[in-house]
Protein backbone atom coordinates (compact mmCIF):
# COMPACT_ATOMS: atom_id res chain seq x y z
CA UNK A 1 0.00 0.00 0.00
CA UNK A 2 1.54 3.36 -0.99
CA UNK A 3 2.35 6.06 1.53
CA UNK A 4 1.69 9.79 1.24
CA UNK A 5 5.39 10.37 0.53
CA UNK A 6 5.21 8.00 -2.44
CA UNK A 7 2.64 10.27 -4.13
CA UNK A 8 3.63 13.74 -2.87
CA UNK A 9 6.62 15.69 -4.13
CA UNK A 10 7.51 16.73 -0.57
CA UNK A 11 5.97 16.66 2.90
CA UNK A 12 7.38 19.09 5.45
CA UNK A 13 6.43 20.60 8.77
CA UNK A 14 7.33 23.80 10.52
CA UNK A 15 6.25 26.04 13.32
CA UNK A 16 3.40 28.40 12.64
CA UNK A 17 4.29 30.57 15.61
CA UNK A 18 5.20 29.17 19.04
CA UNK A 19 1.83 27.50 19.60
CA UNK A 20 1.00 25.89 16.23
CA UNK A 21 2.53 23.43 13.78
CA UNK A 22 1.88 23.44 10.04
CA UNK A 23 2.37 20.46 7.76
CA UNK A 24 2.68 21.18 4.05
CA UNK A 25 2.01 18.48 1.49
CA UNK A 26 3.50 19.60 -1.83
CA UNK A 27 1.76 17.32 -4.30
CA UNK A 28 3.71 18.40 -7.39
CA UNK A 29 0.98 17.74 -9.94
CA UNK A 30 -2.78 18.32 -10.13
CA UNK A 31 -3.27 14.54 -10.36
CA UNK A 32 -1.33 13.91 -7.15
CA UNK A 33 -3.22 16.77 -5.50
CA UNK A 34 -6.57 15.24 -6.44
CA UNK A 35 -5.49 11.85 -5.15
CA UNK A 36 -4.16 13.17 -1.83
CA UNK A 37 -7.10 15.51 -1.20
CA UNK A 38 -9.33 12.46 -1.32
CA UNK A 39 -6.97 10.25 0.66
CA UNK A 40 -6.37 12.70 3.52
CA UNK A 41 -9.67 13.68 5.09
CA UNK A 42 -9.24 16.14 7.95
CA UNK A 43 -10.67 13.64 10.44
CA UNK A 44 -7.97 11.15 9.52
CA UNK A 45 -5.18 13.70 9.96
CA UNK A 46 -6.66 14.80 13.29
CA UNK A 47 -6.73 11.20 14.50
CA UNK A 48 -3.18 10.62 13.27
CA UNK A 49 -1.92 13.49 15.44
CA UNK A 50 -4.29 12.90 18.34
CA UNK A 51 -5.99 16.26 17.84
CA UNK A 52 -9.69 17.09 18.10
CA UNK A 53 -10.93 17.58 14.56
CA UNK A 54 -12.26 21.06 15.30
CA UNK A 55 -8.70 22.24 16.11
CA UNK A 56 -7.20 21.07 12.82
CA UNK A 57 -7.24 23.75 10.15
CA UNK A 58 -7.02 22.61 6.56
CA UNK A 59 -6.07 24.68 3.55
CA UNK A 60 -6.37 23.13 0.09
CA UNK A 61 -4.55 25.25 -2.50
CA UNK A 62 -5.27 23.67 -5.91
CA UNK A 63 -3.44 26.36 -7.89
CA UNK A 64 -0.21 25.30 -6.16
CA UNK A 65 -1.15 21.63 -5.68
CA UNK A 66 -0.55 22.04 -1.94
CA UNK A 67 -2.48 20.82 1.09
CA UNK A 68 -1.73 22.41 4.47
CA UNK A 69 -2.77 21.25 7.92
CA UNK A 70 -2.25 23.32 11.05
CA UNK A 71 -2.94 22.35 14.65
CA UNK A 72 -1.79 23.35 18.14
CA UNK A 73 1.55 22.10 19.39
CA UNK A 74 1.30 19.88 22.49
CA UNK A 75 3.96 22.04 24.17
CA UNK A 76 4.99 25.63 23.47
CA UNK A 77 8.00 26.03 21.19
CA UNK A 78 11.16 26.43 23.22
CA UNK A 79 9.62 25.29 26.49
CA UNK A 80 11.47 22.81 28.69
CA UNK A 81 9.39 19.91 27.31
CA UNK A 82 9.83 20.85 23.64
CA UNK A 83 11.76 18.15 21.76
CA UNK A 84 11.27 19.61 18.26
CA UNK A 85 12.22 23.28 18.41
CA UNK A 86 11.54 23.93 14.71
CA UNK A 87 8.55 21.64 14.30
CA UNK A 88 10.38 19.72 11.58
CA UNK A 89 9.71 16.19 12.83
CA UNK A 90 5.93 16.32 12.59
CA UNK A 91 5.89 15.71 8.84
CA UNK A 92 7.20 12.16 9.02
CA UNK A 93 4.05 10.75 10.58
CA UNK A 94 1.91 12.07 7.73
CA UNK A 95 4.49 11.20 5.06
CA UNK A 96 4.46 7.58 6.21
CA UNK A 97 0.65 7.32 6.37
CA UNK A 98 -0.70 4.65 4.06
CA UNK A 99 -3.20 5.67 1.39
CA UNK A 100 -5.44 3.69 -0.95
Amino acid sequence: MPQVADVAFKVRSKNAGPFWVTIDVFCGTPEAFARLVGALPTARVAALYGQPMQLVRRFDIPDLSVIKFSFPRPVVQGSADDRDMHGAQWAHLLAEAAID
Side-chain angles (χ1 to χ4, degrees), residues 15-54:
N15 291 326
F19 307 107
W20 286 75
V21 170
T22 291
I23 301 173
D24 301 319
V25 181
F26 295 94
C27 301
T29 66
E31 294 79 19
F33 177 79
R35 182 172 180 193
L36 290 173
V37 162
L40 295 174
T42 305
R44 182 174 178 212
V45 175
L48 188 64
Y49 287 100
Q51 295 285 329
M53 191 172 135
Q54 64 269 22

Side-chain angles (χ1 to χ4, degrees), residues 27-92:
C27 301
T29 66
E31 294 79 19
F33 177 79
R35 182 172 180 193
L36 290 173
V37 162
L40 295 174
T42 305
R44 182 174 178 212
V45 175
L48 188 64
Y49 287 100
Q51 295 285 329
M53 191 172 135
Q54 64 269 22
L55 291 181
V56 176
R57 297 179 183 168
R58 179 189 182 122
F59 306 93
D60 292 342
I61 310 167
D63 290 344
L64 300 175
S65 297
V66 173
I67 306 167
K68 300 174 74 85
F69 297 97
S70 294
F71 51 84
R73 294 174 56 101
V75 296
V76 176
Q77 177 193 16
S79 66
D81 294 327
D82 186 12
R83 297 293 179 250
D84 186 8
M85 183 73 156
H86 301 287
Q89 298 178 31
W90 291 86
H92 295 286

